[in-house]
Structure formats: C-alpha cells, structure tokens
Amino acid sequence: MFDAPGSSPEQAFGVGELTTLVKQALEGGFPPLWVKGEVSGFKRHTNGHWYFSLKDASGQLPCVVWARDTRRIPAPPDEGMAVFARGQLTVYPAQGKLQFMVDALDAEGEGLWKKAFDALKATLDAEGLTDPARKRRLPRFPRTVAVITSLDGAARRDIEAVIRRRHPGVDLVLIGAVVQGEGAPASLVAALDRLASWGGADVAIIGRGGGSREDLWCFNDESVARAIAACPIPIISAVGHEIDVTIADLVADLRAATPSVAAEHAVPILAEVQEQLRRLGGRLADALEDRVVTERRALHTQRERFTLRATRMVERRRARVQQVAGRLDALSPVATLTRGFAVARDAEGRTLTTRSAFAVGATFDLLVQDGRVRARTESTHDDAPHLPSRA
Amino acid sequence: MSFEQTLARLEQIASSLDRDDLPLEEALRLFEEGIAKLREANAALGEAEGTVQRLIEDAAGVLKLEEEA
C-alpha cells in the first residue's frame, strides 16, 4: 500500500483529480434524497440558476437549482422559509465545495404553490383581468361548442356525453391540448390561439379532469391565463374537481366545478327549449283569439247601436214626413176642391180670381175635385152674397 | 337573426299582443310575424344530429376541421 495514491509526496493527488474522486464517491454514496431546512441567502443568477443555502441549528448546505429545473418550481422560496428540497449531493470541483443540486422544492403547507398563485392573482387583479365586470354572458343557444382538453381524457368524454344528452343538435369541435406537464401551458395557449383565429365557436370549454396539484398547475400559468382573458369567444373553465380553483377559473367568463358541469352551462336542454317555443306559440294564439273575441264583441255592439240609431232616425223622418204631408194636405187646392170650391182658369192656365179677369162670352175652365168643366162667362156682377167669410 | 334574438322577438311579440290598445291591423301583422318566427325557431332546433369534429392545424399552418372518428 506504500505506493497507494496520496500516500507520499511522490503519489500526491492533483487537486482536480481528488475533488473529482470525492465527487464520484459522494454521488455514489448518496442517491437523490429529500432534505429539509430553512432557506438562507437566496440569489437568482442572471443565467437563470438559483443559489441558496439550507440551514438548521447545527448545519448548512449550499444548494443550486439549475435554470431548467426552476421551471418546475412554482415560485422562488422566501428568505427563512422552511422548505423541502429534493436533489443530488455532489461536489463542485472548481471550488472544492459541497453542493446540493436541487430539482424539486416545496415549502411546508401550501407553500410555494400558494405563493405563486397569490403573486399571479395579484398581478392579474391589478390589471383588471379577474374583474367580474369583464366576464361575458354565455350565449343561451350555442350552435357550436369548442372543447380544449386532452383528446384522450375523461373530461372530453364527460363533456361530449352531457352535451349529447341535453341537446343532440349542437356541433362539437375538439381542440386537442396537452393538459399536464412541462409542455402544457404552451400547448393550451396554442389551442386558445387556434380557437380565436378559427372563430367558429359560440362558446368554449377549457379544462381537464381531476389530478394532483402539479398535474393541474398549467391552469395556473400566466400565459394560459392571459390567452383566456384575450380570447374573443366566451370561455368556461372546468379544471379538476369542485375544490380545485385555478387562475384560469378566475379569468374565464364562467368557472364550472367540473367538466360535466361546464357542459351543462354550455348548452340548454333541447326539450326545455321546445317547451318554451310551444308556450310562446300558445301565448300568440291565445292573444289573437282574445283579440278576435274582443273585436267581435265590439263589432256586435256597434251594429246594435247603429241599428237602433238607424231605426230611430227612420221613425223620426217618417213622423216628420207625415207632419209635412198633413200640412201640405191642408194647403193643397185639391183638398179645397173636395170641400166644394172650384178654381177658374183661362186657356193659358192662369187662375181667374177677379171679376175683371172674366171677359163676357169668353170660355174658361172650372177645376173641380174630379176634373174640369168648360164654362162661358154670361155676365159679371160686383155682389157676392153667398161668399163665406175668410175668417 | 340568432336563435336567441328570434326568441327575444317572440317574447316581445307575445307581450305586445297581450295589450288591448294595439290597433287590430298591427295585432294581425305581429301575429303573422310571430308565427313565422316560431316556424324559424322550430326549424333551427329540428336540424340534424350535431357533428363532432377536430380543429387541427396542418403543416402549412392552415386551420381545418376534420371528422372525429
């Protein structure tokens, strides 16, 4: 063993050689593991890596989170925060420093997830994107419903079944998206973009079935939230179960507790719509019938009044005619003639009313009640002893 | 006119017809319009079975609908 590496100045290790050996020994001796401690001296490097130490009363462990791993961690930890970190223990040979390479990090309790959620919600709140006044009313009778979810997921089948049961005539357009894992936010945003540029849907459901907090996390992504808020088509969010509230729910026009509930909100029940139409038809017919009855009654009343008035008018006219006829009768020469008087007229039809009108020897006519008598003037006299007085 | 608008118009017509002060000629005109709208609405509901399609983007970035198997 006297010539074993490091046993004599002649066998001395190079520094790099030794640190590499230590690194290998450490990595071989410690599989990936969880460590708990308090965060101290957190720094975010410009290259995207995070540096901090985990501490407790008796020890300190330098940690690094590589930039690509920070993406899976919802938010950077706060100073002094009690966290759990999973990683690989190693040595950083360039500085001969013990280093814990963290690839998963979470705080106790709701921890970093809640922190990230609250931070994004505050941002969106400040921009007004979660304002209830921004929420659009859903169309009551959509023809086409778009569904953004995994094409093989349970959510898609649930939504399809509920919509078919309620309203078989509605068209469904599926827009496939990855709904969990690292690529999910970009995939959801792409699906929302497609929905917007196609423009053929009246309403859209975006969501997925239940899963772990990590599975649902893409619905708490800022880019997804902004794409939902910017979408020109009303959006119903339906993520997981009743208890799962996501940022997507806050910016969507309606939050449904589950995908099935979203489908119920999206389309009406056909039979109910048909019933509504029947009732409306009934109202129209009833109203018109009432109107016809009213008009007929009014017409009847008018006719009665008209008949009554016409009858009265005719009677009044008849009475007047009779009255006038009576007076005419009294004035008529015919009546006088029936009383025994006669009217004398010359050949021209002039009535001869004075003695001087009668020329001796001339003929004239005497009108009596039943005709004419041709007469001749014998003589005229100024006495008229038998003439009745005019009074 | 969307189905929703048609339905709203029908409600409006029914309410107008309930009023007695509407001139008879106007009432008849509204009734005829109402019947036409009802027919329209029923026809819209009676349309064939709804389809299920997928919205996909082809290699050239063009959006198209594809029948879902």
Side-chain angles (χ1 to χ4, degrees), chain A residues 117 208-213 216 219-220 237-247 249 255-258:
Chain A
F117 184 99
R208 53 158 291 150
S212 69
R213 185 175 55 187
L216 305 187
F219 290 95
N220 288 320
S237 69
V239 181
H241 301 298
E242 176 72 52
I243 51 157
D244 303 314
V245 177
T246 63
I247 294 288
D249 291 328
R255 183 222 168 199
T258 65

Side-chain angles (χ1 to χ4, degrees), chain A residues 14-352:
Chain A
V15 175
E17 197 184 349
L18 181 62
T19 51
T20 301
L21 273 177
V22 173
K23 175 177 151 75
Q24 284 165 354
L26 210 53
E27 288 180 2
F30 292 92
L33 43 81
W34 283 95
V35 180
K36 63 178 176 183
E38 270 180 27
V39 173
S40 168
F42 180 88
K43 276 197 194 71
R44 190 200 306 250
H45 198 272
T46 47
N47 57 20
H49 309 323
W50 293 351
Y51 297 94
F52 58 93
S53 290
L54 281 180
K55 287 201 313 191
D56 64 12
S58 57
Q60 183 163 336
L61 178 66
C63 298
V64 61
V65 186
W66 305 123
R68 62 162 198 282
D69 292 324
T70 62
R71 282 199 294 272
R72 280 200 303 273
I73 298 171
D78 293 333
E79 191 67 22
M81 189 179 257
V83 298
F84 301 94
R86 187 188 66 194
Q88 173 66 55
L89 206 54
T90 186
V91 164
Y92 181 40
Q95 289 182 0
K97 200 173 97 177
L98 184 67
Q99 195 170 49
F100 191 51
M101 293 190 299
V102 175
D103 62 10
L105 183 72
D106 199 6
E108 282 182 48
E110 283 293 306
L112 297 177
W113 301 93
K114 185 170 187 323
K115 186 187 170 195
F117 184 99
D118 290 347
L120 179 54
K121 182 176 181 301
T123 305
L124 299 177
D125 282 349
E127 289 179 38
L129 296 183
T130 56
D131 188 346
R134 260 191 103 252
K135 300 196 184 303
R136 290 162 293 195
R137 200 173 64 90
L138 303 181
R140 280 172 66 204
F141 307 100
R143 282 174 186 280
T144 304
V145 177
V147 181
I148 297 177
T149 189
S150 162
L151 290 177
D152 344 290
R156 174 236 158 132
R157 286 193 302 277
D158 290 349
I159 290 169
E160 210 175 318
V162 171
I163 288 182
R164 280 290 160 264
R165 192 179 69 225
R166 291 170 69 89
H167 197 316
V170 165
D171 290 338
L172 269 180
V173 170
L174 306 169
I175 307 177
V178 179
V179 292
Q180 71 186 65
E182 268 186 68
S187 176
L188 287 168
V189 169
L192 283 160
D193 284 349
R194 251 180 273 166
L195 170 72
S197 33
W198 174 54
D202 301 308
V203 62
I205 299 171
I206 186 169
R208 53 158 291 150
S212 69
R213 185 175 55 187
E214 287 80 356
D215 288 344
L216 305 187
W217 194 251
C218 54
F219 290 95
N220 288 320
D221 184 272
E222 181 167 357
S223 62
V224 173
R226 292 192 182 281
I228 290 175
C231 188
I233 289 159
I235 302 249
I236 306 173
S237 69
V239 181
H241 301 298
E242 176 72 52
I243 51 157
D244 303 314
V245 177
T246 63
I247 294 288
D249 291 328
L250 301 178
V251 293
D253 295 294
L254 184 76
R255 183 222 168 199
T258 65
S260 296
V261 173
E264 286 171 18
H265 284 300
V267 300
I269 295 176
L270 177 62
E272 285 179 7
V273 181
Q274 285 168 332
E275 175 56 26
Q276 192 181 355
L277 282 180
R278 260 196 298 280
R279 270 202 313 272
L280 270 169
R283 265 182 77 189
L284 287 187
D286 287 352
L288 192 77
E289 202 181 312
D290 285 354
R291 187 59 198 253
V292 166
V293 167
T294 310
E295 294 294 332
R296 188 174 286 149
R297 196 173 295 143
L299 199 62
H300 185 72
T301 310
Q302 289 291 349
R303 189 162 51 206
E304 300 254 286
R305 282 174 57 194
F306 178 78
T307 310
L308 193 67
R309 231 182 254 181
T311 309
R312 274 194 204 139
M313 197 184 291
V314 167
E315 277 169 3
R316 259 200 311 275
R317 292 263 160 89
R318 184 177 293 146
R320 273 188 65 195
V321 166
Q322 275 168 355
Q323 202 184 350
V324 170
R327 281 173 58 199
L328 278 177
D329 208 37
L331 293 171
S332 163
V334 177
T336 314
L337 298 184
T338 55
R339 298 210 301 273
F341 290 85
V343 178
R345 279 191 185 153
D346 66 11
E348 279 75 43
R350 285 189 293 263
T351 306
L352 308 172

Side-chain angles (χ1 to χ4, degrees), chain B residues 50-69:
Chain B
T51 58
V52 181
Q53 292 176 303
R54 276 206 285 162
L55 182 68
I56 55 167
E57 198 170 336
D58 68 14
V62 178
L63 292 175
K64 53 183 186 181
L65 288 172
E66 208 170 62
E67 284 307 317
E68 176 69 4

